[in-house]
Amino acid sequence: MAGNGDEGGAVGKESINTEIVTLTRHLNEEQTKHREATGDFTLLCHALQFSFKSIAYYIRRASLINLSGLAGSSNTTGDEQKKLDVIGNDVFIAAMRSSGRVRVLVSEEEEEVVTFDQNPHARYAVACDPIDGSSNLDAGVSVGTIFGIYRLPEGAKGTKEDLLLPATSLVAAGFTMYGASTQLVLTMKDGPVNGFTMDNGLGEFILTHPNMQMPKKRGIYSCNEGNSKYWDDPVLEWVASLKSAEKPYSSRYIGSMVADAYRTLLYGGIFAYPADKKSPKGKLRILYECGPMSMVFENAGGQAVDSKMRRMMTVVPEHIHDRSGIFLGSYDEVQKVIDVHKKHGITGS
């Protein structure tokens, strides 16, 4: 017989949150704060959301429906394409076309820009890497999508020249990580960084990390030291200083930019992929990797610079698949990189 203190067992004690903030609700609430808003940006973000959910679904089922392995071709930057690279790219293109709000799309998987002539009055452009880190897919390592959204100026014809812009021109940027859970990180120009987690039961992204701010410093560095043979002297000196510190830094490197960046965003530290003697311009693409990531990190209180110590968000790509070296992370940790390079006469000016 139940006593007077009985509250209905486990069911009675379970706390149910009925004020869940989904990505859809978040976008709608943000739109109402801007009386001049037309709703176009919100509709574009809904299309992005669908593409993230679709890619997450295919990645979860990849091994079961024979989507792992190579597709037998390479993309415009010379990387071997996985089957999921091709599917992710097709999903992205279809979602952006059907949104009716995107005039032009740049994808890592497409040599030229994709122009949507059926949307001649659309005012947005999107740059994306549909599945970043796909070489790790067969090993079950976290991969992700990186994206940046630009608003085209009046009179823009939707050509690739319209996209040769610095990240300071971005209106929004972010990334989605597909791992143990699907995490979406989204920020808007001069706005907070918000993190959402995919609830597979509801089929919705739920706001779980509002107003993300990264630690100002943390003793963790993330870089591919297998390339150290090709590094310039300032980079070698910087890494040596981390190892010889009174409390040596911890090294954490996954090899998937989205996974390494997300860990750095949460815990602090620094992620680096510098230009070197083997890749003088760097390996990562400015429009759809370095630029969007630098906006996320700056809005979260961090810093991002290229290998010439220029603020990453001000670097203008020379072509749509242009590359750069990058250092991004906690403010003080990136500052240490800048200070070491300054000793070698590299000031970013």
Side-chain angles (χ1 to χ4, degrees):
M1 184 174 177
N4 291 336
D6 187 272
E7 296 180 3
V11 174
K13 294 178 182 178
E14 183 179 355
S15 177
I16 304 296
N17 180 13
T18 56
E19 283 298 319
I20 295 173
V21 179
T22 65
L23 176 58
T24 301
R25 172 178 167 180
H26 173 76
L27 291 169
N28 290 340
E29 288 178 351
E30 287 297 309
Q31 180 182 322
T32 61
K33 296 177 183 177
H34 303 276
R35 297 184 63 181
E36 74 283 2
T38 62
D40 286 357
F41 178 78
T42 302
L43 288 171
L44 167 54
C45 288
H46 290 330
L48 282 171
Q49 179 179 190
F50 174 77
S51 65
F52 302 148
K53 292 177 182 178
S54 299
I55 292 171
Y57 169 79
Y58 288 121
I59 287 175
R60 285 199 307 272
R61 293 182 51 81
S63 296
L64 300 175
I65 56 177
N66 195 31
L67 292 182
S68 58
L70 296 174
S73 58
S74 60
N75 62 22
T76 183
T77 55
D79 300 326
E80 289 288 332
Q81 283 184 307
K82 298 280 186 174
K83 295 175 185 176
L84 274 167
D85 278 325
V86 178
I87 292 171
N89 186 56
D90 290 347
V91 165
F92 228 92
I93 291 174
M96 295 303 95
R97 178 191 297 115
S98 63
S99 74
R101 301 304 184 273
V102 178
R103 183 73 175 99
V104 61
L105 169 71
V106 171
S107 168
E108 184 195 15
E109 309 302 329
E110 299 286 339
E111 184 172 355
E112 297 294 337
V113 297
V114 178
T115 303
F116 302 119
D117 292 328
Q118 62 269 53
N119 304 333
H121 304 296
R123 295 264 55 87
Y124 288 100
V126 175
C128 73
D129 185 348
I131 303 184
D132 178 76
S134 58
S135 60
N136 293 308
L137 271 169
D138 294 350
V141 175
S142 296
V143 297
T145 300
I146 309 172
F147 64 93
I149 304 173
Y150 297 86
R151 183 170 175 82
L152 295 172
E154 289 294 331
K157 299 188 179 349
T159 63
K160 58 187 176 184
E161 287 74 23
D162 294 327
L163 266 294
L164 300 182
L165 300 167
T168 50
S169 299
L170 285 165
V171 296
F175 59 86
T176 304
M177 186 184 75
Y178 313 105
S181 58
T182 300
Q183 307 282 340
L184 167 63
V185 173
L186 175 67
T187 190
M188 299 175 197
K189 191 177 183 69
D190 300 322
V193 177
N194 291 303
F196 301 81
T197 302
M198 181 70 185
D199 185 320
N200 292 321
L202 291 175
E204 293 281 359
F205 281 104
I206 309 299
L207 180 63
T208 52
H209 299 73
N211 194 20
M212 299 173 76
Q213 285 289 304
M214 62 188 309
K216 198 169 182 188
K217 58 183 178 180
R218 185 73 185 273
I220 302 174
Y221 72 102
S222 177
C223 59
N224 184 359
E225 293 193 71
N227 290 328
S228 60
K229 173 182 177 181
Y230 308 105
W231 285 348
D232 295 328
D233 289 342
V235 180
L236 289 169
E237 182 179 330
W238 164 66
V239 171
S241 72
L242 305 183
K243 296 178 178 179
S244 62
E246 184 176 346
K247 183 180 179 182
Y249 279 46
S250 296
S251 176
R252 299 283 185 272
Y253 184 67
I254 299 170
S256 171
M257 185 189 189
V258 170
D260 281 312
Y262 187 60
R263 184 200 57 250
T264 303
L265 184 66
L266 286 178
Y267 302 148
I270 185 168
F271 169 82
Y273 209 125
D276 56 31
K277 296 178 182 68
K278 187 172 63 172
S279 303
K281 291 205 73 173
K283 284 281 288 182
L284 300 179
R285 273 69 57 156
I286 296 172
L287 265 183
Y288 43 83
E289 290 176 326
C290 299
M293 281 293 188
S294 63
M295 182 176 183
V296 169
F297 274 72
E298 283 201 8
N299 285 359
Q303 281 197 88
V305 296
D306 71 356
S307 287
K308 297 177 182 177
M309 297 301 103
R310 298 176 296 183
R311 181 188 174 205
M312 191 69 242
M313 286 192 67
T314 64
V315 177
V316 179
E318 295 175 6
H319 55 85
I320 59 173
H321 298 295
D322 200 6
R323 301 172 184 258
S324 174
I326 191 169
F327 299 84
L328 77 166
S330 296
Y331 192 95
D332 288 357
E333 301 305 334
V334 177
Q335 191 60 46
K336 289 176 183 176
V337 178
I338 295 171
D339 292 342
V340 170
H341 279 75
K342 191 177 294 183
K343 286 166 49 183
H344 291 259
I346 304 170
T347 61
S349 57

